[in-house]
C-alpha cells in the first residue's frame, strides 16, 4: 500500500491507533524504557575516545585515515547532539543540578562537538517531527527542486535549470554521479553555515557564545590538523607536501562527519511527499520513515553508536525514549503497525542510496549539451591520472628489478670469459708466474 493511501486508510482508524500507542507508551514507561543507561553512556564516551585516540596515532603516518577517524568521532557527537536536542535520557534538564550547567553541556555537545547550533537545529527538528515529509517540514523540504543545484527529483525543474544554465548545469546533467560525493564533501559544512546564519532568528539567548562555540568547532579542527599532521610530518618534507597531508586529513574528516546528511536523508526521502498537514500525525510519521538494517550483534552495537538514530520509526513514535532502549520496543511497534495496516520498512542504507541513485539516473534530460560532454572525458582523465600515479612506482620497481637481472647475466658472461675463471689450476699457475716476475724485478 502506498504511503499516502496508508495514511488515508489509517486516519479512519486513527483514534484506535493512538489509543493503542498511548497504552503501549504507559507499558514502556512502567518497564523503565524511558530511563537512560549509565553503562551505555560510558560505553559511547569510551568509543568516541577510542576514535580520537586512533586519529592521534594514525594522523602522522596516514593522514587520510587519521582524519577519517576524527570525522567518525564528530559523527558520534552528532548522535549525542540529537539526544540532547530532544532533551531525553541524561540530557533532560531536570537531571541537572542547575539550568546553567545543562545549557553549557548542551552548547558544548552541539555547537562545539557536532558543529551545528543547538537551538536552531532543535527548533527545526521539532517541526520535522510534527510535519514529517510535508510542505511544513523545514529539514527535508519536499519539492522537486528542493535539492537544486545538487540534484533534481523530477524532469521539469531539471530541464528548466539546464536550459537557463547550459554550462553551470554540467554536474546536474550527470547528477547520479555527483550527488552523493558532493553531499559527502560539503554537507556538514553547509549545515554548519546555515545554522550559523540562523542563530539570531532562532533565539536571542547567548548569541555571541553560540557563534563563538560554533566557530571553535572548526578552530579545534585546525589545531588538531596542525598538531597531528603538520608538526608530525617528516622534517625533510616541504611545505607543499605538508599542505597536501593536511588536505588529506581534512577531506577524511569531512567525508566521515558529513555522512550524517545522507543518513538522515535516506530515512525519509524514498517515501515521497506527505499530504498530511496534521500536527504530530503519528500515522504519517510511520508511513514516511524507514529504519536502517543493523548488521552487528547487540553486544557490539558499533553501527548504533555512529548512526544518529538507527531505529527511526520507533524514534518518531516515542521521541523522548533514549536511543539505547528503542530496540526493545521494535516487536511491539511491528505488531501495532501490522494491526492497523501501516507499513514498517527496514532496509540497508546502501540499498536506499542505490535506489535513489537509479531514480536520479532515470530522469530524462540532455546529458551531452553544453559542457556535459566534458564529464566523461574528465572522469577518464582522473582515473588515468590515478592509475599512473599509483602504478608508476610499481613499474619503476619492476623495471629496476629486470635491469638488475640483466646486469647480473652480463656480469656472469664476462666472468666466464676471463682466463682465471676456467679452472682453479690455471688460475693458481698464473698467480705463481706473477709472483716470480715481481721477485725478479
Amino acid at each position: 500500500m502506498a504511503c499516502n493511501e496508508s495514511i488515508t486508510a489509517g486516519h479512519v482508524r486513527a483514534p484506535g491507533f493512538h489509543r493503542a500507542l498511548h497504552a503501549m507508551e504507559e507499558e514502556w514507561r512502567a518497564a523503565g524504557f524511558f530511563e537512560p543507561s549509565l553503562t551505555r553512556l560510558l560505553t559511547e564516551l569510551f568509543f568516541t575516545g577510542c576514535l580520537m585516540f586512533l586519529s592521534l596515532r594514525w594522523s602522522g603516518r596516514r593522514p587520510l585515515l587519521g582524519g577519517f577517524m576524527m570525522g567518525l568521532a564528530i559523527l558520534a557527537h552528532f548522535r549525542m547532539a540529537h539526544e540532547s536536542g530532544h532533551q531525553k535520557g541524561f540530557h533532560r534538564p531536570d537531571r541537572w543540578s542547575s539550568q546553567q550547567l545543562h545549557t553549557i553541556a548542551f552548547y558544548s555537545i552541539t555547537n562545539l562537538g557536532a558543529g551545528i547550533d543547538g537551538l536552531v537545529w532543535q527548533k527545526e527538528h521539532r517541526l520535522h517531527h510534527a510535519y514529517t515529509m510535508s510542505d511544513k517540514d523545514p529539514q527535508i523540504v519536499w519539492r522537486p527542486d528542493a535539492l537544486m543545484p545538487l540534484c533534481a527529483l523530477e524532469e521539469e525543474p531539471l530541464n528548466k535549470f539546464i536550459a537557463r544554465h547550459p554550462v553551470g548545469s554540467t554536474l546536474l546533467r550527470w547528477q547520479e554521479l555527483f550527488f552523493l560525493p558532493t553531499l559527502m564533501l560539503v554537507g556538514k559544512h553547509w549545515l554548519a553555515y546555515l545554522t550559523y546564519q540562523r542563530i539570531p532568528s532562532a533565539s536571542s539567548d547567548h548569541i555571541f557564545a553560540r557563534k563563538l562555540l560554533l566557530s571553535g568547532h572548526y578552530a579545534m579542527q585546525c589545531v588538531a590538523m596542525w598538531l597531528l599532521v603538520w608538526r608530525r610530518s617528516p622534517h625533510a618534507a616541504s611545505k607543499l607536501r605538508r599542505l597536501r597531508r593536511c588536505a588529506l586529513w581534512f577531506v577524511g574528516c569531512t567525508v566521515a562527519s558529513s555522512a550524517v546528511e545522507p543518513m538522515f536523508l535516506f530515512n525519509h526521502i524514498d517515501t515521497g511527499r506527505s499530504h498530511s498537514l496534521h500536527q504530530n500525525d503519528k500515522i504519517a510519521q510511520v508511513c514516511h520513515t524507514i529504519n536502517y538494517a543493523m548488521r552487528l550483534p547487540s553486544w557490539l552495537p558499533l553501527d548504533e553508536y555512529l548512526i544518529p538514530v538507527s531505529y527511526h520509526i520507533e524514534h518518531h513514535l516515542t521521541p523522548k525514549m533514549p536511543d539505547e532502549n528503542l530496540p526493545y520496543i521494535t516487536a511491539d511497534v511491528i505488531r501495532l503497525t501490522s494491526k492497523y495496516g501501516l507499513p514498517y520498512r527496514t532496509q540497508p542504507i546502501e540499498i536506499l542510496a542505490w535506489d535513489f541513485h537509479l531514480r536520479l539516473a532515470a530522469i530524462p534530460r540532455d546529458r551531452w549539451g553544453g559542457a556535459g560532454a566534458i564529464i566523461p572525458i574528465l572522469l577518464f582523465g582522473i582515473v588515468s591520472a590515478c592509475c599512473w600515479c599509483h602504478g608508476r612506482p610499481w613499474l619503476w620497481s619492476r623495471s629496476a628489478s629486470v635491469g638488475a637481472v640483466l646486469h647480473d647475466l652480463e656480469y656472469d658472461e664476462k666472468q666466464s670469459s676471463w682466463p682465471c675463471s676456467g679452472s682453479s689450476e690455471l688460475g693458481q699457475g698464473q698467480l705463481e708466474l706473477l709472483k716470480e716476475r715481481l721477485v725478479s724485478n
Side-chain angles (χ1 to χ4, degrees):
M1 186 182 293
C3 286
N4 289 305
E5 295 176 1
S6 299
I7 293 172
T8 304
H11 280 158
V12 179
R13 301 181 294 273
F17 174 82
H18 288 105
R19 282 196 300 269
L21 178 61
H22 180 71
M24 283 187 174
E25 286 182 352
E26 295 301 322
E27 294 177 3
W28 298 333
R29 196 177 301 276
F33 291 155
F34 283 86
E35 296 300 319
S37 169
L38 180 60
T39 304
R40 179 61 175 261
L41 176 63
L42 295 177
T43 305
E44 289 185 8
L45 294 177
F46 175 75
F47 176 68
T48 306
C50 288
L51 292 173
M52 292 184 175
F53 175 75
L54 291 177
S55 177
L56 175 67
R57 290 294 302 272
W58 293 343
S59 293
R61 293 175 297 173
R62 297 177 176 85
L64 185 64
L65 185 58
F68 191 81
M69 290 296 109
M70 184 61 72
L72 290 181
I74 296 175
L75 187 62
H77 271 89
F78 266 108
R79 190 177 187 282
M80 290 186 283
H82 180 263
E83 287 201 339
S84 184
H86 279 284
Q87 296 185 349
K88 57 183 179 180
F90 288 107
H91 304 280
R92 291 204 325 244
D94 57 355
R95 287 185 172 272
W96 294 76
S97 58
S98 68
Q99 181 63 32
Q100 290 182 346
L101 286 177
H102 176 264
T103 303
I104 293 173
F106 175 69
Y107 290 143
S108 300
I109 294 172
T110 56
N111 293 52
L112 189 62
I116 56 173
D117 182 67
L119 288 183
V120 173
W121 181 88
Q122 186 182 55
K123 179 181 178 181
E124 294 182 352
H125 196 64
R126 285 175 178 173
L127 292 175
H128 163 72
H129 272 260
Y131 304 102
T132 304
M133 289 299 292
S134 71
D135 295 337
K136 294 184 178 182
D137 186 347
Q139 292 190 327
I140 302 184
V141 183
W142 182 255
R143 294 194 314 268
D145 59 343
L147 298 175
M148 296 284 281
L150 194 58
C151 71
L153 304 177
E154 291 183 5
E155 179 180 358
E156 183 180 356
L158 177 60
N159 288 322
K160 284 184 178 180
F161 189 88
I162 290 176
R164 289 196 303 267
H165 311 280
V167 177
S169 61
T170 301
L171 299 183
L172 272 177
R173 296 175 188 271
W174 302 87
Q175 59 179 357
E176 65 274 10
L177 298 179
F178 294 96
F179 164 70
L180 194 56
T182 306
L183 190 63
M184 295 291 286
L185 286 174
V186 303
K188 189 255 181 185
H189 307 307
W190 179 248
L191 180 62
Y193 171 76
L194 288 180
T195 57
Y196 185 89
Q197 293 294 321
R198 297 169 184 171
I199 283 177
S201 60
S203 174
S204 59
D205 297 336
H206 314 102
I207 292 180
F208 177 76
R210 288 154 59 194
K211 288 187 175 182
L212 183 65
L213 288 175
L214 186 52
S215 304
H217 171 80
Y218 286 95
M220 288 196 331
Q221 287 191 42
C222 294
V223 171
M225 204 176 349
W226 180 69
L227 290 175
L228 302 181
V229 183
W230 184 277
R231 292 194 60 185
R232 295 171 66 181
S233 297
H235 294 290
S238 62
K239 289 186 177 181
L240 183 61
R241 186 182 177 187
R242 290 171 186 260
L243 288 174
R244 176 177 172 270
R245 290 168 59 85
C246 290
L248 287 175
W249 189 92
F250 186 73
V251 168
C253 181
T254 297
V255 169
S257 59
S258 295
V260 68
E261 286 289 324
M263 284 178 184
F264 180 65
L265 184 68
F266 295 139
N267 270 133
H268 300 283
I269 195 72
D270 192 58
T271 63
R273 176 187 179 186
S274 174
H275 298 296
S276 174
L277 297 179
H278 299 285
Q279 187 174 2
N280 263 342
D281 188 348
K282 297 295 185 181
I283 294 176
Q285 292 181 42
V286 170
C287 292
H288 289 277
T289 307
I290 304 174
N291 281 5
Y292 291 141
M294 298 291 100
R295 296 176 177 83
L296 295 179
S298 58
W299 56 270
L300 189 65
L302 299 182
D303 43 10
E304 296 180 30
Y305 293 155
L306 294 177
I307 299 178
V309 177
S310 311
Y311 299 88
H312 214 64
I313 296 176
E314 290 82 355
H315 167 66
H316 269 262
L317 290 178
T318 56
K320 291 294 185 180
M321 183 178 291
D323 293 347
E324 62 267 22
N325 295 331
L326 293 177
Y328 301 132
I329 68 171
T330 297
D332 293 335
V333 172
I334 292 176
R335 284 197 299 269
L336 180 65
T337 54
S338 177
K339 178 180 179 181
Y340 289 92
L342 300 177
Y344 183 93
R345 293 181 59 185
T346 300
Q347 285 186 267
I349 186 172
E350 64 270 14
I351 300 298
L352 292 169
W354 178 249
D355 291 342
F356 192 72
H357 167 84
L358 295 179
R359 179 180 176 182
L360 294 180
I363 299 176
R365 74 270 194 186
D366 179 18
R367 295 180 182 273
W368 304 101
I374 298 177
I375 297 301
I377 301 174
L378 183 62
L379 291 177
F380 177 77
I382 293 174
V383 172
S384 302
C386 291
C387 293
W388 171 250
C389 292
H390 292 282
R392 184 176 54 181
W394 182 84
L395 290 174
W396 282 357
S397 63
R398 299 304 297 174
S399 61
S401 301
V402 172
V405 171
L406 293 175
H407 181 271
D408 293 341
L409 291 174
E410 184 180 356
Y411 179 78
D412 292 341
E413 290 178 358
K414 290 180 179 180
Q415 282 271 36
S416 63
S417 64
W418 289 354
C420 62
S421 62
S423 64
S424 59
E425 295 179 358
L426 181 61
Q428 188 68 23
Q430 290 177 349
L431 287 175
E432 292 295 334
L433 181 61
L434 288 174
K435 287 181 181 179
E436 292 177 1
R437 289 180 179 178
L438 288 174
V439 171
S440 63
N441 291 333

